[in-house]
Amino acid sequence: MTDTDDRRCAWARNASELMTAYHDTEWGRVSHEDGYLFEMLVLEGAQAGLSWSTVLNKRENYRRAMDGFDYERIAAYGRAETDRLLADPGIVRNRLKVASAVRNARAFLAVREEFGSFDAYLWERVPAPVVGHWTSAGQVPVTTDLSDRLSRDLGRRGFNFVGSTIVYSYLQATGLVEDHLEDCPAKPG
């Protein structure tokens, strides 16, 4: 193990190459692309009750099975498409999670209609990235007032699998919350 490995956020230490690459180059980085924001919403919802490594290992299968996370196409999915997804061993074949991806695509489109983009909706609620200044993994919260508020608002807008813990993880993944440990070499400057 190198010094860099020792200083990485605890969940990325001794991790697979895929997890390490995700941690080092993607997690906590701001994205303003609605396609990516939707992809992460689907993946974070799929993670409920599972490990992130399980979902991350299935990410390419999700991309293939869900039309590259094209939210407009997914919003139009009917029974045939959801049955096809439920039969696909490359993704998490949970009926509620698959239905959630379709439902969330429809809600995502409604938010885009109202705000111009999902990105605009999010950044109206989080005007600047929230930066954690944590020195140990035990300090990093799993929910905050922000994730509680956003979770409730998303729920009112028709989204599901958006409990506060999932939403906080989503905020971290998409860079609205930056929670790399202070000495983590991947912490954005």
Side-chain angles (χ1 to χ4, degrees):
M1 185 182 303
T2 68
D3 181 51
T4 298
D5 293 329
D6 288 339
R7 293 182 303 129
R8 264 191 193 99
C9 298
W11 63 268
R13 293 180 197 148
N14 301 315
S16 70
E17 285 184 37
L18 188 61
M19 283 283 281
T20 300
Y22 171 76
H23 168 269
D24 289 356
T25 64
E26 190 173 346
W27 188 73
R29 301 292 195 275
V30 172
S31 175
H32 294 287
E33 294 189 43
D34 274 6
Y36 178 79
L37 295 172
F38 179 73
E39 175 179 348
M40 295 312 294
L41 188 66
V42 171
L43 295 176
E44 291 292 346
Q47 182 195 354
L50 302 172
S51 70
W52 181 243
S53 64
T54 296
V55 174
L56 192 60
N57 285 327
K58 294 178 178 285
R59 187 181 201 178
E60 289 305 317
N61 295 328
Y62 269 96
R63 283 184 178 143
R64 173 193 45 76
M66 292 188 153
D67 295 306
F69 292 103
D70 182 330
Y71 44 84
E72 290 179 350
R73 291 182 74 177
I74 295 168
Y77 281 6
R79 173 109 186 196
E81 290 87 357
T82 58
D83 286 348
R84 175 184 56 79
L85 291 172
L86 290 168
D88 190 327
I91 68 167
V92 176
R93 294 180 294 174
N94 175 295
R95 186 169 299 281
L96 294 175
K97 291 178 181 182
V98 168
S100 173
V102 176
R103 179 179 174 166
N104 287 351
R106 293 171 183 156
F108 194 89
L109 287 174
V111 167
R112 283 178 49 86
E113 179 72 24
E114 181 178 347
F115 291 88
S117 68
F118 194 74
D119 177 67
Y121 163 79
L122 289 173
W123 289 101
E124 183 175 295
R125 281 142 186 79
V126 187
V130 176
V131 179
H133 297 284
W134 317 117
T135 56
S136 72
Q139 295 173 317
V140 181
V142 295
T143 64
T144 61
D145 289 340
L146 172 61
S147 65
D148 292 345
R149 287 191 313 275
L150 186 55
S151 171
R152 283 190 301 273
D153 191 61
L154 289 167
R156 280 192 297 270
R157 292 175 181 280
F159 290 85
N160 64 358
F161 277 89
V162 289
S164 189
T165 302
I166 290 172
V167 168
Y168 192 74
S169 184
Y170 176 76
L171 294 170
Q172 291 172 308
T174 57
L176 285 101
V177 170
E178 199 292 290
D179 272 346
H180 283 281
L181 298 180
E182 281 296 298
D183 64 346
C184 179
K187 187 170 186 74

